[in-house]
Amino acid sequence: MSAFAASLRPRAVGLVRLGVWLLALLNGARALALWPQGEWLRDLSVALDVRWRLAASLGWMVVMALAAVAFHLRPHAARRLVPLLLVAYGVLELSMMILFASTLPAALPVLLYAAFVGLAAWALWPPAASPRPSPPTVTQGGS
């Protein structure tokens, strides 16, 4: 790995941590927005039931906040969890958009989210160190 890439990795880890917190806040804001509009949204037959969306938003808010706290307290333990969690969240959100929206999602937000997940994987899953060659062994001669 180049020295430039190694110097960028701590900043990228901080950006991923901020992104996980922002996703937790986004889901909390979505839950706050869905709560008062529940009666009106239940009458729409096009969308997913508002109670499921509200429960999913609250669940993702809790999961993302717990992941961010775990990432802050034990960063080495959460390194494998966070990119996988981001992939799961992205797949579920994208599938809900495709299934229940009248139009397909725009390409730019999908590409930006995919780039964020790629950044998280790059920052949190550093390449394995190459194994050091073992020193030569000395054997006793004799036949």
Side-chain angles (χ1 to χ4, degrees):
M1 176 188 303
S2 69
F4 179 70
S7 69
L8 283 180
R9 195 174 296 270
R11 290 183 184 150
V13 170
L15 186 64
V16 170
R17 182 180 297 139
L18 177 65
V20 172
W21 275 116
L22 288 176
L23 282 173
L25 289 175
L26 171 79
N27 282 293
R30 183 182 296 165
L32 284 176
L34 287 173
W35 186 270
Q37 297 177 356
E39 293 297 323
W40 179 74
L41 288 172
R42 262 188 228 123
D43 296 335
L44 297 177
S45 62
V46 180
L48 180 65
D49 187 11
V50 69
R51 291 173 287 208
W52 286 105
R53 291 179 65 199
L54 181 64
S57 294
L58 288 173
W60 279 114
M61 178 191 70
V62 169
V63 167
M64 291 290 182
L66 288 175
V69 168
F71 189 52
H72 180 70
L73 295 177
R74 296 178 185 240
H76 295 293
R79 283 187 183 272
R80 300 277 184 219
L81 170 76
V82 171
L84 296 175
L85 183 67
L86 291 174
V87 167
Y89 175 76
V91 166
L92 288 174
E93 285 293 314
L94 186 61
S95 63
M96 282 188 11
M97 280 189 243
I98 290 172
L99 291 174
F100 296 107
S102 58
T103 60
L104 290 176
L108 184 62
V110 173
L111 289 176
L112 287 175
Y113 189 78
F116 177 65
V117 171
L119 174 76
W122 173 78
L124 300 177
W125 291 345
S130 60
R132 292 184 176 184
S134 60
T137 58
V138 178
T139 58
Q140 293 283 329
S143 308

